Structures are given as C-alpha cells and as structure tokens.
C-alpha cells in the first residue's frame, strides 16, 4: 500500500489549501479555516479528459481488484481519520461526537467496505430456449455534485459504487464545504490509480458546466430540488443519465400505543441529526392528542440535555447551521410560526450578535398544519409538532406534500406500525427510528425528492449499463 502522508490535521490542510484564493470560514467561530484556489471550467475540461484516460485502464481491472481498491481506500480514511474529522468539524461546523463528524468519517470507511462486498449484479437467464448473460459494464466518467451537509459521506455514496463498477469520477463539491471533499479525495488517492477520482472545486458555473458536459456519462446529484430541476433540463442535451437525491420534508407519525419516554431519544435524533441539516431527517411530527403533552415534554427534556456549541469541544452534540443562508431560512420559518400563534416549547430567539450561525434547538407546538414551518423544508434545528385526533387525517397530511424521501411510524405494536407505514408515500418508511440508512438497502426518493436509488446491488446498477449476450 502507498504511504499515506496525510495523517495529521496540519499536513492534511497544507496538502489541500493555497496561500491565496477563496477563504473558508468556520461556521461556529467565524475564523478562517483555510484558503483554496477556485477551479474554473477549463480545470473541469482538463479533469474530465484525464479521468477518461484513467478510466480506460481502470475498466480493465477485474471486479475483485476494484473491490480491493475500495477496501484500501477505507483503510486510508481510517489512517487519516482524526485529521479528516477535525477538518470536517471546522469547515462544516458539526461536532466531533454524536451523529456528527466522527460518525461521518466512520461511515465513509464503512460504506466503501460494504460497497466492496455487494454481490455483482451480473446474472444469466438460462433454460431450454435461452441463454442470456447480463453483464453490467462501466458507463465511463461519472460526475458527482454534492451538498454541504454531509460533504464527505455523500461524496463516498457517489464514488464508491461508481468505482466498484469501473468508472472514473469528477466531483464538484458545494462551495460551502470544498475542503472536506478535497481532503477526503486527497486521502483516498494515496491508494487509487492516478486521475481516476478528481475534485473540481469551483462555483455554480462549474456545476452547470459539469451537468452539460459532453464527456460526462452519468451525473449523481444531491442537493436542492430547484438545482435538481436545472440539472434535469441540462441533461436533455446529451441524454445524460441521472440519479437525483433532492430535498425532503419527512413526516413522523406517533401512534396512540407508543411510549413517549421510550421513543423520545430516537424521535429527537431522527429530527436533529446533524443539527437538522439532513435530507432524510424528520421535519414534521404528528402526535395523537392523547399523548401530545407527554411527547412534547419528553422531547423538551432530550433537547435540554443535548449541548450545542463549537464542534471541536468534545461535549457538544449539536452545532451551528453551516451557512448564514440556511440560518436565515430557519429563523424566518420559526418567526412565521410564532407570528401565527404557535407555541415555542424550547429554543427560538437566537443571539444575532454572537459569533457563528447558532440557532437554538427549537420545538414548536400547537402549530397549524399548513404553517410554513410545517410545509416548507426548514433544514435546521426547529421541529414543528402537530396534534392530531384522527389517524387517517395524519396519514393524509403526511402524504400531502410534493416530496417523498423518508417517513416514520412510532408504535409499540410493530404489526400496526407496518400497516400504517404501507400507507405512507416515501422512498423509505422507518419504524421507531428515522433516517437510519444502511449501505445494503436501496435509498431514494419519490415525487420532487428525486429519482434513482443509491446503495446495495440496486445502487451498483445505477452506475453501469447492462450488456446482454443472448444466444
Ligand atoms: P444547491 O442545490 O444549490 O447546491 C448543491 C450543489 O449543486 C452545490 O455543489 C452547488 O454548487 C451545485 N450547483 C449549483 N447550481 C448548479 C447548477 N446550475 N448545475 C449544477 N450544479 C449546481 O443546494 P444548497 O447547498 O444551496 O442548499 C439549498 C437547499 O437545498 C437547502 O436549503 C436544502 O433544502 C436543500 N439541500 C438538500 C440536501 C440533500 O441532502 N438533499 C443537502 C443540502 C441542501 P455551489 O455550492 O457552487 O452553488
């Protein structure tokens, strides 16, 4: 295995930053994390062309050899683990502990290992009349455009199946979190063939150029529905294949037989994972009138016991919003809720003068089901809790929006919960948890939450085309 020199934070930062360029600001402290050189559309063109050349050679490796490289990439991430964690925390803002920076870097290694272990999707259909072999072949060069909430993990979700299936990847990270992606790729490139995975850390114009680039055979996109729609339009030009993981507004429904004390912790983290900045987090919670006060009180207790603060302080489990734009969205939605008469159980009222984009952990009760905090995606630490009398009404409410990434049902009766789950419109419905993705299980949205699935053997098929030899 190639020597990995990027095992300390200082070495890793020095390897990806420049003396001048664009500054990245720590969203918890307003301090400069580092400076990097913004890539241009010319850099993108060069990256696509060198990636294409590297892919031709890479495609010649066997499936077992490619899987072995994924395992080595996982080892490299672990060797640089704490350096990556520190950078991620400084740039994204997320704390070290809880479902945050250490969790994310650990998930990167775990996803690479799992992706190396999946069964190949290849198969043969054979009987007296037919012998057809179906072989999944690489597409070529995959473009990967990602967001700022889980910058390392989502990059791995995009590149691991692409590499396993024999593709090269050109990544355009979010302008808010380029260093995390540059660092991750710097580390895995200590073991991967040269030029196979490249990062073009430029602005929206580089993303737009990637989505219309004639040399891109498939685009993996995670981000907002608005940008997703632009990408769909752009893809028409070259009929570029797409996997789109867009926003959500996931509902959770508590059933009358649930035990509020038993579910409170998982309910809370289903909503507040990564300080609410997660596509498949619970963003609205429906609770029956009989349990309403108890569930609200139990959630307040968890909120008050979960410290928010600067990511690098070990005790914190909630952090700032990654950027001011997102802070303003959460702030506006909570203000609209309170102006309409909703009741703040805990939180709201941020300190606007303090450093960082901290928005207090906020629970909002007695809210109208059509309030903007319920029907728009807040993508931050503010959960509306809606009271219901009639389960059928709650199911209708859960299904009424034009998004469908995840949803959840909370109950002491698994069979009953599964019955309700079957009536929810979403890519995934969890029972007694929310947002718990697994590399072996397909994940994707319906409606405006996107199309195509990631993970598992199903996910591998999205990064390849089936070639059939029939006869
Ligand atoms: P965007 O969709 O704007 O950005 C996601 C990525 O797309 C970024 O890398 C961005 O680059 C890039 N991009 C921007 N314009 C184009 C384009 N025309 N063609 C191709 N790529 C482009 O999301 P934001 O980061 O601004 O977040 C806004 C909202 O999106 C959030 O409020 C949230 O609702 C949702 N979101 C959903 C996520 C999810 O996991 N599903 C994750 C993050 C956000 P650049 O940064 O340079 O603009």
């Amino acid at each position: 295995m190639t020597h990995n020199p990027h095992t300390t934070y200082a070495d890793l930062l020095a390897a990806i930053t420049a003396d001048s360029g664009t500054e990245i600001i720590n969203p918890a402290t307003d301090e400069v994390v580092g400076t990097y050189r913004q890539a241009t559309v010319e850099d993108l063109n060069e990256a696509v062309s060198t990636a294409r050349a590297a892919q031709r050679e890479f495609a010649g490796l066997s499936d077992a050899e490619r899987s072995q490289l994924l395992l080595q990439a996982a080892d490299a991430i672990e060797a640089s683990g704490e350096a990556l964690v520190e950078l991620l925390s400084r740039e994204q803002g997320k704390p070290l502990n809880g479902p945050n920076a250490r969790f994310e870097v650990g998930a990167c290694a775990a996803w690479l290992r799992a992706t190396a272990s999946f069964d190949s999707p290849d198969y043969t259909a054979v009987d007296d009349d037919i012998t057809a072999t179906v072989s999944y072949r690489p597409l070529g060069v995959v473009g990967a455009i990602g967001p700022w909430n889980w910058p390392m993990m989502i990059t791995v979700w995009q590149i691991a199946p692409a590499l396993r299936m024999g593709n090269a990847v050109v990544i355009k990270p979010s302008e808010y979190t380029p260093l995390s992606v540059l660092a991750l790729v710097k580390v895995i490139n200590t073991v991967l063939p040269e030029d196979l995975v490249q990062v073009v850390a430029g602005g929206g114009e580089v993303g737009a150029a990637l989505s219309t680039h004639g040399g891109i055979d498939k685009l993996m996109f995670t981000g907002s529905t608005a940008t997703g729609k632009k990408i769909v339009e752009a893809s028409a030009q070259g009929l570029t294949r797409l996997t789109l993981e867009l926003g959500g507004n996931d509902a959770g429904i508590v059933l009358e037989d649930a035990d509020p004390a038993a579910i409170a912790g998982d309910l809370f983290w289903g909503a507040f994972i990564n300080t609410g900045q997660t596509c498949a987090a619970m963003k609205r919670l429906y609770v029956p009138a009989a349990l309403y006060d108890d569930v609200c009180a139990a959630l307040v207790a968890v909120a008050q016991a979960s410290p928010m603060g600067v990511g690098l302080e070990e005790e914190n489990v909630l952090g700032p919003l990654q950027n001011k734009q997102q802070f303003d969205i959460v702030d506006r939605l909570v203000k609209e809720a309170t102006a309409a008469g909703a009741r703040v159980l805990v939180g709201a009222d941020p300190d606007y003068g303090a450093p960082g984009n901290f928005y207090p952990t906020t629970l909002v009760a007695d809210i109208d089901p059509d309030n903007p905090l319920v029907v728009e995606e807040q993508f931050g630490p503010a959960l509306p809790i809606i009271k219901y009398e009639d389960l059928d009404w709650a199911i209708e409410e859960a299904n009424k929006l034009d998004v469908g990434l995840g949803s959840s049902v909370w109950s002491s009766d698994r069979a009953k919960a599964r019955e309700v789950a079957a009536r929810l419109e979403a890519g995934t419905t969890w029972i007694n948890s929310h947002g718990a993705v697994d590399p072996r299980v397909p994940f994707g949205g319906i409606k405006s939450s996107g199309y195509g699935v990631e993970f598992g053997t199903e996910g591998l098929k999205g990064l390849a085309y089936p070639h059939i030899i029939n006869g």
Side-chain angles (χ1 to χ4, degrees):
M1 185 168 141
T2 320
H3 176 60
N4 172 7
H6 312 299
T7 54
T8 68
Y9 175 70
D11 288 344
L12 187 57
L13 190 69
I16 56 166
T17 48
D19 292 337
S20 62
T22 306
E23 283 182 345
I24 290 292
I25 306 295
N26 182 329
T29 62
D30 297 344
E31 290 163 357
V32 175
V33 181
T35 303
Y36 75 105
R37 191 187 73 81
Q38 280 250 0
T40 61
V41 172
E42 288 69 45
D43 294 323
L44 171 71
N45 294 337
E46 172 72 13
V48 173
S49 135
T50 51
R52 168 82 49 199
Q55 191 269 336
R56 284 197 196 99
E57 209 165 310
F58 183 59
L61 298 188
S62 68
D63 185 37
E65 288 168 323
R66 298 197 298 249
S67 295
Q68 190 57 35
L69 282 171
L70 294 189
L71 297 177
Q72 288 176 14
D75 292 342
I77 286 172
E78 279 171 353
S80 294
E82 276 297 297
L84 288 166
V85 163
E86 183 172 342
L87 180 64
L88 179 60
S89 179
R90 286 181 190 272
E91 184 183 55
Q92 205 285 334
K94 61 182 70 189
L96 302 174
N97 296 314
N100 293 299
R102 290 193 175 113
F103 171 85
E104 178 166 353
V105 172
C108 290
W111 241 269
L112 282 159
R113 292 213 172 90
T115 307
S117 75
F118 299 146
D119 289 341
S120 158
D122 296 353
Y123 66 97
T124 302
V126 60
D127 65 16
D128 292 344
D129 304 321
I130 186 178
T131 301
T133 55
V134 182
S135 311
Y136 281 84
R137 292 182 169 178
L139 294 166
V141 181
V142 172
I145 302 180
W148 44 262
N149 55 344
W150 295 91
M152 292 187 187
M153 187 172 77
I154 289 175
T155 298
V156 167
W157 288 358
Q158 296 173 330
I159 66 179
L163 293 177
R164 169 76 195 270
M165 300 313 288
N167 303 284
V169 190
V170 175
I171 304 160
K172 165 27 205 141
S174 163
E175 279 178 271
Y176 291 117
T177 52
L179 302 183
S180 296
V181 176
L182 286 163
L184 176 89
V185 171
K186 193 66 150 175
V187 167
I188 62 174
N189 274 348
T190 58
V191 298
L192 296 179
E194 204 177 341
D195 294 335
L196 192 65
V197 178
Q198 301 190 47
V199 186
V200 184
E205 74 290 353
V206 171
L210 186 60
S211 64
T212 49
H213 203 291
I216 293 294
D217 301 291
K218 160 97 196 200
L219 200 62
M220 304 285 286
F221 175 75
T222 299
S224 65
T225 299
T227 305
K229 286 180 179 171
K230 286 188 200 160
I231 286 175
V232 171
E233 276 179 32
S235 73
Q237 213 169 306
L239 282 181
T240 312
R241 292 156 192 250
L242 301 176
T243 295
L244 300 173
E245 209 267 80
L246 310 176
N249 193 344
D250 292 9
I253 302 181
V254 175
L255 304 189
E256 271 199 2
D257 60 25
D259 174 352
I263 61 175
D266 289 333
L267 268 181
F268 180 85
W269 286 110
F272 289 91
I273 177 169
N274 201 29
T275 315
Q277 304 162 102
T278 299
C279 46
M282 189 203 306
K283 291 172 182 143
R284 45 197 176 113
L285 177 61
Y286 296 83
V287 179
L291 293 185
Y292 195 75
D293 290 344
D294 288 350
V295 169
C296 287
L299 283 172
V300 168
V302 182
Q304 287 172 337
S306 304
M308 176 183 283
V310 174
L312 293 181
E313 294 167 4
E314 295 275 352
E315 72 274 17
N316 294 323
V317 287
L318 294 155
L321 273 309
Q322 202 285 326
N323 51 78
K324 183 66 173 48
Q325 172 191 309
Q326 199 59 45
F327 177 97
D328 289 342
I329 292 173
V330 175
D331 192 36
R332 171 181 62 81
L333 289 172
V334 174
K335 280 184 178 143
E336 285 181 16
T338 51
R343 183 164 55 100
V344 173
L345 297 173
V346 64
D349 199 19
D351 180 352
Y352 297 102
N357 304 322
F358 288 101
Y359 195 91
T361 307
T362 300
L363 295 165
V364 178
D366 300 337
I367 186 165
D368 185 274
D370 291 320
N371 187 277
L373 180 60
V374 178
V375 297
E376 291 178 31
E377 187 188 25
Q378 69 276 51
F379 217 71
L383 179 69
I385 309 171
I386 305 112
K387 191 185 290 180
Y388 76 84
E389 305 280 350
D390 173 26
L391 179 58
D392 289 337
W393 177 86
I395 293 169
E396 253 174 57
E397 287 295 301
N399 289 339
K400 78 178 178 185
L401 300 182
D402 187 33
V403 280
L405 193 53
S407 58
S408 59
V409 182
W410 302 75
S411 167
S412 303
D413 178 344
R414 193 156 163 267
K416 177 90 197 296
R418 290 183 76 93
E419 266 174 41
V420 175
R423 296 173 60 192
L424 292 177
E425 295 166 6
T428 304
T429 301
W430 288 276
I431 291 170
N432 293 332
S433 71
H434 197 116
V437 290
D438 186 296
R440 297 164 297 184
V441 180
F443 175 68
I446 60 165
K447 303 182 186 173
S448 294
S449 292
Y451 52 73
V453 292
E454 298 181 272
F455 313 162
T457 302
E458 283 303 311
L460 296 183
K461 289 181 188 169
L463 276 311
Y465 73 91
H467 179 248
I468 292 108
I469 298 178
N470 192 346

